Amino acid sequence: MAYKAPVRDLTFILGEVLEIDKYANQRGFAEVTTELAQQILEEGGKFAEEVIAPLNRVGDKEGCQWNDGVVTGPTGWKEAYQAMVEAGWSGLAADPAYGGQGMPAVVAMAFGQFTAGASAAFSMYPGLTFGAYAGLYANASDAIKDKYLPKMATGEWGGTMNLTEPQCGTDLGMVRTKAVPQADGSYKITGQKIWISAGEHDFTDNIIHTVLARIEGAPAGIKGLSLFVVPKYLVNDDGSLGERNAVRCGGLEHKMGIHGNATCVMDYDGATGWLVGEEGRGMNNMFVVMNEARLGTGLQGLAIGAAAYQEAATFAKDRLQGRSLTGPKNPDGPADPIIVHPDVRRMLLEAKAFVEGGQAFILWTALQADLEKSEDPATAQKAHDYMGLITPVLKAYLTDKGFHVASLAMQVHGGSGYTEEFMASQYLRDARITMIYEGTNGIQALDLVGRKLPANGGRAIMSWFADIDAFVAEHKGNEATAPFIDGLDKAKATLQEASMWLMQNGMQNPDNAGAASTDYLQIFGLTALAYVWSQMAVAAQKQIAAGSTDPFYANKLMTGRYFVERILPDARAHLKKLQSGAGVLMEMPAEAF
């Protein structure tokens, strides 16, 4: 089937759940009404459906081609990328001072769900460029910004993040790439980076690499790292391109999925680069890029799941096999469509509940990114706290569930899904990497319990709990939404109990915190989805109470009921596992594995 952008779902979230019109006094929202956002998403949906989606299968089949350092993308991809740039979609959230559209992050993230659903691999090219743009925007000197950001903001130039090396992935303190200072203030960068997405391609005239390296003589470990900007082509003072820099793609990885994205080995052989921010603050500066990438990865995993669900739902309505347990539903046909079977419906509803809840979770988080720029210090601080706390949850939980949904979609297809005739195989293969890159989901869980949860004395999670308590108190008396509110209240209590267990047992034995981290993150993710599902239920019920007969609202409530009744109870199981501690995990001798 053809991919269909979920425009109605996301405009419902923006306008009726998050009510973005009430933020007109916040930076970036003055002219962005619900009506304008809907128009943007309708046009963006058409672009994703008509320009990007038809190329998804092409990218999977052809992949990218490497020839002596030159990388060419799949057929039609360069033209589609350039069409995106010309239409202004690449710069949707970039600063107008550098040629961007200046849209709020919540609108840009909505459009991002369309591009990632249409083709996850294609969406990585503009996504990584914006991540590099954000890192330079936050940390670089005005001279560097003026030189690179105008064409990065529009997407005319690409961008990357270069962290990983053959000997180090998660442990970036082991980075060996070195930077040697030059008399003119530049540096010569030498080393090799691997798994660099969009590291080389033919879509743009220039690619601006952000590179972690160690200045000659700097101390070992994380504290010795600095961040550098290293262009593929040097840029003259007038903005024109100069000579080719000494950075080259040494080869492409052969991967399980996302074949349309060039995953490169990048060789730096005395390439010219410039320091971004302060010396020795490379990891701090790179975190801006990494956080953008982690949010984008959570979005990507969820969007792949959404596309896989669409494919499975269409297949289930068309595929004729067996008869309904309660009698034929297609008496004139040889069999009933498989959507009549309870277990098929279980898989589809589980997928639908995760997808629609995840869509709201992403946009709720994106709104916090916008509020982080508020001129009100209290609002900005609270949003900043939430971004720190929620980012690892969103990345890990939504990529876990995005892959799970893609797996359910393949199961709905049966044997047909295991063939390459249908898209189910590609969605499953593409989704798997999202659980690994930009920090594996296990690392996200450790980051949550080890750094984010205790930060500032637990201020962020206590504030989040208070927001949930206030929401529950406000809507407690509404009988129509009682299952959602009660479910949220219980989930929050479970998360509180898990948090207390970590406080009491994690400090005594750090292995307890490590062993509990993944289950804790799962409880957190379930509670976050319970929160946004409750908000969607209240908004949908409000329309029904006002007399709306649009089936969209009733269907939204039924999908949410499935989440509350059949998925949310998993939180207690995760709590039980968490409370078992690290004993059985750590007592097993290594040689017994």
Side-chain angles (χ1 to χ4, degrees):
M1 61 154 282
Y3 170 74
K4 184 69 177 174
V7 175
R8 179 68 193 278
D9 279 334
L10 300 198
T11 52
F12 165 69
I13 296 165
L14 290 177
E16 298 174 55
V17 180
L18 299 179
E19 299 179 310
I20 63 171
D21 286 340
K22 69 184 182 184
Y23 296 104
N25 62 333
Q26 297 290 343
R27 186 181 303 174
F29 282 88
E31 299 177 2
V32 184
T33 63
T34 297
E35 183 180 357
L36 177 60
Q38 181 171 342
Q39 292 171 356
I40 291 170
L41 295 191
E42 286 174 351
E43 291 303 311
K46 289 178 185 177
F47 186 88
E49 294 166 4
E50 297 172 4
V51 179
I52 301 175
L55 299 175
N56 194 25
R57 198 69 177 264
V58 176
D60 186 55
K61 297 300 182 186
E62 291 186 9
C64 297
Q65 305 300 317
W66 180 91
N67 182 19
D68 193 25
V70 177
V71 175
T72 54
T75 301
W77 280 45
K78 178 179 180 179
E79 293 77 11
Y81 181 88
Q82 290 174 343
M84 173 180 276
V85 171
E86 290 170 8
W89 293 115
S90 297
L92 205 59
D95 191 337
Y98 296 107
Q101 304 293 318
M103 289 288 124
V106 71
V107 175
M109 289 285 272
F111 174 69
Q113 292 190 47
F114 299 166
T115 58
S119 173
F122 183 92
S123 72
M124 294 170 69
Y125 293 96
L128 285 159
T129 298
F130 187 77
Y133 160 91
L136 296 180
Y137 185 82
N139 300 300
S141 66
D142 288 341
I144 287 177
K145 291 180 185 179
D146 291 342
K147 178 167 281 193
Y148 298 108
L149 293 193
K151 291 196 175 181
M152 293 179 73
T154 61
E156 293 174 76
W157 289 351
T160 70
M161 52 189 289
N162 287 232
L163 288 80
T164 306
E165 299 181 4
Q167 79 287 349
C168 70
T170 299
D171 189 357
L172 290 170
M174 298 170 66
V175 162
R176 294 175 186 163
T177 298
K178 68 177 181 179
V180 180
Q182 304 298 299
D184 64 357
S186 66
Y187 292 77
K188 292 298 182 183
I189 312 295
T190 301
Q192 186 180 79
K193 298 290 184 177
I194 63 170
W195 303 338
I196 308 306
S197 300
E200 174 63 24
H201 54 78
D202 61 340
F203 300 171
T204 61
D205 294 333
N206 205 2
I207 301 173
I208 311 305
H209 304 290
T210 54
V211 184
L212 272 184
R214 196 179 307 278
I215 295 175
E216 199 170 42
I222 291 291
K223 293 182 179 179
L225 297 179
S226 298
L227 181 63
F228 298 87
V229 58
V230 185
K232 175 181 174 179
Y233 285 95
L234 299 177
V235 180
N236 298 320
D237 291 339
D238 64 359
S240 63
L241 295 184
E243 64 183 34
R244 177 71 187 260
N245 207 351
V247 53
R248 182 176 183 274
C249 175
L252 296 177
E253 301 291 350
H254 300 282
K255 303 165 296 186
M256 175 180 175
I258 57 168
H259 295 154
N261 192 268
T263 305
C264 303
V265 175
M266 300 301 296
D267 296 319
Y268 293 83
D269 187 15
T272 301
W274 289 266
L275 181 67
V276 175
E278 298 176 25
E279 184 177 324
R281 299 275 296 173
M283 278 303 297
N284 301 73
N285 296 336
M286 185 59 91
F287 268 126
V288 176
V289 186
M290 291 167 67
N291 282 338
E292 287 284 344
R294 285 171 178 172
L295 292 171
T297 302
L299 179 153
Q300 183 185 52
L302 190 280
I304 296 170
Y309 160 73
Q310 288 185 13
E311 189 89 8
T314 298
F315 182 88
K317 295 171 189 175
D318 294 340
R319 175 68 167 167
L320 302 181
Q321 290 288 287
R323 289 296 188 187
S324 167
L325 297 174
T326 55
K329 300 298 184 289
N330 179 32
D332 296 331
D336 288 335
I338 63 172
I339 200 167
V340 305
H341 303 306
D343 197 58
V344 172
R345 285 176 166 252
R346 174 191 63 81
M347 290 186 284
L348 290 175
L349 266 171
E350 184 153 325
K352 185 175 173 64
F354 277 126
V355 164
E356 294 183 14
Q359 289 168 344
F361 184 25
I362 288 169
L363 296 188
W364 182 91
T365 306
L367 179 60
Q368 308 313 306
D370 288 316
L371 295 179
E372 199 174 7
K373 303 169 188 173
S374 173
E375 295 178 1
D376 175 55
T379 299
Q381 181 65 70
K382 182 178 180 180
H384 178 76
D385 286 350
Y386 284 174
M387 290 299 293
L389 179 69
I390 295 296
T391 294
V393 179
L394 187 147
K395 190 279 179 185
Y397 188 74
L398 292 188
T399 57
D400 269 355
K401 297 312 172 187
F403 179 74
H404 176 59
V405 168
S407 182
L408 289 173
M410 176 174 278
Q411 192 72 15
V412 170
H413 279 79
S416 298
Y418 199 67
T419 71
E420 294 299 324
E421 181 181 355
F422 292 87
M423 292 288 290
S425 171
Q426 182 186 343
Y427 288 135
L428 190 68
R429 289 185 283 104
D430 284 354
R432 190 60 184 85
I433 186 58
T434 65
M435 302 164 70
I436 298 172
Y437 60 14
E438 308 308 341
T440 66
N441 288 357
I443 292 297
Q444 302 301 322
L446 288 173
D447 180 44
L448 175 65
V449 302
R451 295 179 64 244
K452 303 304 176 57
L453 193 61
N456 302 303
R459 182 176 68 199
I461 195 165
M462 287 190 289
S463 177
W464 195 60
F465 283 156
D467 281 356
I468 292 175
D469 286 341
F471 183 84
V472 168
E474 180 182 357
H475 299 287
K476 194 77 171 176
N478 189 336
E479 187 175 340
T481 55
F484 295 90
I485 304 305
D486 292 345
L488 171 61
D489 201 19
K490 291 174 183 177
K492 177 250 181 181
T494 300
L495 184 58
Q496 277 187 310
E497 190 175 345
S499 302
M500 289 300 297
W501 188 93
L502 277 173
M503 290 175 62
Q504 295 165 359
N505 296 274
M507 294 181 68
Q508 294 176 5
N509 179 2
D511 280 341
N512 279 333
S517 60
T518 291
D519 286 299
Y520 183 81
L521 187 144
Q522 292 293 316
I523 298 169
F524 207 125
L526 284 163
T527 305
L529 255 64
Y531 190 21
V532 294
W533 262 118
S534 294
Q535 293 176 57
M536 287 193 287
V538 168
Q541 183 58 41
K542 180 180 178 182
Q543 295 296 329
I544 292 171
S548 175
T549 57
D550 186 342
F552 174 87
Y553 298 111
N555 292 341
K556 189 66 69 177
L557 288 173
M558 282 189 281
T559 305
R561 273 181 49 211
Y562 183 91
F563 174 81
V564 170
E565 295 173 11
R566 301 290 296 259
I567 297 175
L568 192 54
D570 289 349
R572 297 301 297 180
H574 284 295
L575 177 65
K576 189 70 174 176
K577 289 189 285 184
L578 175 153
Q579 291 172 333
S580 68
V584 71
L585 294 179
M586 305 311 295
E587 289 164 11
M588 179 75 76
E591 57 271 18
F593 284 92

